[in-house]
Amino acid sequence: MTVPGSGSNRRKRLKALREAALHRPVLARHLSDGFNGRWSRRQWMTASLFASMGLLVAAIVPGFNQDLTTPTAAPRQSMALALPPLPVSRGAQGVEGDSWQIVSVRSGQTLGQLFEEMGVPAATLHRILEQPSAKAALGRLRPGTELAFDLPVNGALRAFRFDQDDMHRVELTLDGDAIRENVIARPVETRTTVATGEITSSLYAAARKAGLSPATIAVMTDQIFQYDIDFNSDIQRGDRFSVVMDETWREGERIGRGKVLAATFTTGGKTYSGFRFEHDGTAEYFSADGRPLKKAFIRMPIPFARVTSGFSRARKHPVLGRVRRHDGVDYGARSGTQIMAAGDARVQFVGWKGGYGRTVILDHGRGNTTLYAHMSRFGKYKVGQRVPQGAVIGYVGASGLATGPHLHYEFRVNGVHRNPLTVTMPPPEPLKGAQLAAFRAQTGPALARIEQFEKLIYARTGADAGQVASAEATTPGGEG
């Protein structure tokens, strides 16, 4: 039996349940459950949010790798760089004149090794060395010496070139078994330059910094100023020196230094000067007033000797055993030590002289003579020959009345014995007359050049520039 109205009520309840289901909140993971083909408002909002985020990410992320600033045109510069030279390939050469290869001798390398590296047979080297010019120039090769080889493609040595000296180059052309020699003159010029320096640590360091060679330094210390300046004790910080010298130049390159024409040295508030002047066939250094810087006599004719017996009016002779005068000074030294002439002189006597043994007597002129006794052997000088100061005239020995090897040295003035250790040595003869006039004409420009250069370098005043004094002895009588 059906209850009236029951079907209508059931339909109303089903419709209410369906509508309630459509409006009930659901979780995001259930968005697809029971999808009926239409999106709710929430679903549209969620989809719009994700779409906006995706567009934003797509617009931002690619910009991380891009420069967002406006590019500006930066100025560009190009610079040419020098590339190292490529080795010359002998296979790439073949035209006469472009096949010269210049090589530089390395330290320890021999001429034979160099020719072997260049592929030149030893027989060809021997043929080249048979030439007198090549044998003299190539006998001792120094590192850095340049040699040139003319080597055509796949051919034997065609020519060889080397420097004979600073002014001549030799080119040897090999033509079969013959060798033709061509000497090529290389023009050189001499320039006069001035070098100056101030001592801060040592003279040698300052001189080398100023551009002086060791040989030039030796001329300054051992020839020009050796009698006036003690370079072991007198030199102080702030001392100055200047040197006028000749330099040899070739093809724009300085290849050597020549004579020292003049020099000044300022120490202890005094400036010494020395000038080179040639007269009577010899070259010497003189002071500004024309007096030789080299003193007439050296006090010790043996280097680094010790005095074993001094000048005495009376002493007991070590051999004879009786009291007698000792009119000289004895210098103890090893047998064979060189004995030097005390000054320029002429040989007066060479031979055996009683108790003196082997003896040499030198006449220095103006009444001055020196005697050297007890020699083991004589030097090369004979009676009547001229002897320059410092020349070796004999060797220490023990000939005559001597108990051991030593030199007995006497100094006489007009025949009277004087103590060599205390006698006032006569000053050297100055230049006179025409020689003095020629000396002043030559040295004036050199001194003016030094003063001008030092004034420029040291900003010296006019008064200071005029204080260049002559280098004269500082002890009485010109003693050295």
Side-chain angles (χ1 to χ4, degrees):
M1 177 172 155
T2 301
V3 178
S6 60
S8 176
N9 294 333
R10 187 170 57 226
R11 284 194 297 271
K12 291 180 179 179
R13 286 196 299 272
L14 289 175
K15 184 179 179 180
L17 290 173
R18 191 164 48 246
E19 291 179 358
L22 290 175
H23 292 86
R24 185 178 58 190
V26 293
L27 296 176
R29 64 175 180 272
H30 297 143
L31 288 175
S32 60
D33 295 343
F35 180 68
N36 60 356
R38 294 188 303 172
W39 280 12
S40 65
R41 182 180 298 175
R42 185 182 296 274
Q43 289 173 325
W44 279 110
M45 292 176 62
T46 303
S48 299
L49 177 61
F50 279 104
S52 299
M53 293 177 61
L55 292 175
L56 183 61
V57 171
I60 294 177
V61 172
F64 290 152
N65 295 328
Q66 298 180 0
D67 186 5
L68 300 180
T69 61
T70 303
T72 58
R76 297 183 180 180
Q77 295 180 351
S78 60
M79 181 175 60
L81 298 177
L83 297 177
L86 296 176
V88 179
S89 173
R90 291 175 56 183
Q93 302 168 350
V95 181
E96 185 174 359
D98 69 350
S99 54
W100 282 100
Q101 299 188 45
I102 301 176
V103 297
S104 182
V105 179
R106 301 188 302 271
S107 178
Q109 187 180 36
T110 65
L111 191 62
Q113 292 172 344
L114 193 148
F115 269 68
E116 183 180 358
E117 290 181 5
M118 298 301 296
V120 180
T124 303
L125 172 59
H126 294 320
R127 290 175 55 202
I128 290 176
L129 290 178
E130 289 176 355
Q131 306 298 312
S133 59
K135 186 175 182 181
L138 304 177
R140 291 183 179 180
L141 289 179
R142 293 179 298 177
T145 301
E146 289 187 347
L147 304 175
F149 296 79
D150 184 10
L151 292 166
V153 177
N154 300 325
L157 179 67
R158 185 163 50 196
F160 177 66
R161 202 160 56 198
F162 59 90
D163 290 339
Q164 187 177 39
D165 51 42
D166 291 339
M167 296 180 289
H168 299 90
R169 174 170 287 170
V170 177
E171 183 174 314
L172 302 177
T173 302
L174 285 71
D175 187 6
D177 294 334
I179 296 181
R180 299 193 309 272
E181 179 179 288
N182 181 28
V183 179
I184 305 169
R186 307 182 69 187
V188 298
E189 62 175 324
T190 300
R191 303 178 186 177
T192 301
T193 61
V194 181
T196 185
E198 183 172 330
I199 298 175
T200 57
S201 58
S202 70
L203 171 60
Y204 186 83
R208 293 294 286 161
K209 184 178 180 181
L212 301 185
S213 66
T216 303
I217 298 172
V219 170
M220 182 171 61
T221 58
D222 299 342
Q223 294 186 37
I224 301 179
F225 301 120
Q226 67 165 331
Y227 295 97
D228 300 288
I229 301 174
D230 186 344
F231 288 97
N232 293 321
S233 59
D234 293 347
I235 303 304
Q236 303 174 14
R237 184 184 181 92
D239 289 350
R240 296 198 303 260
F241 58 87
S242 294
V243 178
V244 181
M245 55 188 170
D246 284 341
E247 293 183 340
T248 304
W249 288 72
R250 183 189 64 207
E251 300 171 359
E253 177 185 5
R254 185 180 63 190
I255 59 176
R257 294 179 175 87
K259 302 181 293 291
V260 175
L261 304 179
T264 63
F265 202 102
T266 301
T267 180
K270 183 177 181 180
T271 298
Y272 301 89
S273 62
F275 303 89
R276 190 180 191 272
F277 182 69
E278 295 185 14
H279 69 105
D280 299 332
T282 60
E284 294 182 68
Y285 288 96
F286 294 80
S287 62
D289 60 356
R291 189 175 297 276
L293 295 181
K294 183 181 73 173
K295 299 301 181 281
F297 294 91
I298 55 178
R299 292 196 177 278
M300 187 176 293
I302 301 180
F304 311 112
R306 68 186 187 280
V307 176
T308 56
S309 182
F311 189 88
S312 175
R313 295 299 179 186
R315 70 156 194 175
K316 185 176 181 180
H317 194 278
V319 176
L320 301 177
R322 60 176 183 266
V323 177
R324 59 185 299 182
R325 293 167 56 92
H326 188 244
D327 295 323
V329 174
D330 291 346
Y331 294 98
R334 297 177 59 182
S335 181
T337 301
Q338 294 180 341
I339 301 172
M340 301 178 296
D344 297 338
R346 186 181 300 275
V347 180
Q348 184 182 92
F349 177 84
V350 177
W352 189 277
K353 192 176 180 62
Y356 286 116
R358 295 183 181 88
T359 304
V360 171
I361 300 177
L362 301 181
D363 182 4
H364 302 277
R366 301 169 65 185
N368 300 300
T369 60
T370 53
L371 179 145
Y372 312 80
H374 303 309
M375 293 183 179
S376 60
R377 57 191 176 96
F378 301 114
K380 62 181 181 179
Y381 295 98
K382 308 300 181 183
V383 173
Q385 286 185 318
R386 298 292 302 180
V387 179
Q389 184 183 77
V392 177
I393 57 174
Y395 301 86
V396 170
S399 59
L401 296 177
T403 58
H406 71 283
L407 168 68
H408 175 78
Y409 174 60
E410 295 182 5
F411 191 95
R412 302 181 187 181
V413 180
N414 296 324
V416 179
H417 291 88
R418 299 292 179 85
N419 186 351
L421 299 179
T422 59
V423 65
T424 299
M425 298 294 185
E429 284 291 326
L431 296 172
K432 299 178 181 179
Q435 288 186 341
L436 180 60
F439 169 77
R440 288 175 176 170
Q442 174 180 313
T443 59
L447 182 58
R449 191 166 187 176
I450 290 177
E451 292 177 350
Q452 180 183 11
F453 196 78
E454 288 191 348
K455 187 175 182 179
L456 176 65
I457 297 299
Y458 303 113
R460 298 170 62 182
T461 63
D464 291 334
Q467 291 180 352
V468 180
S470 61
E472 301 184 51
T474 56
T475 54
E479 296 184 22

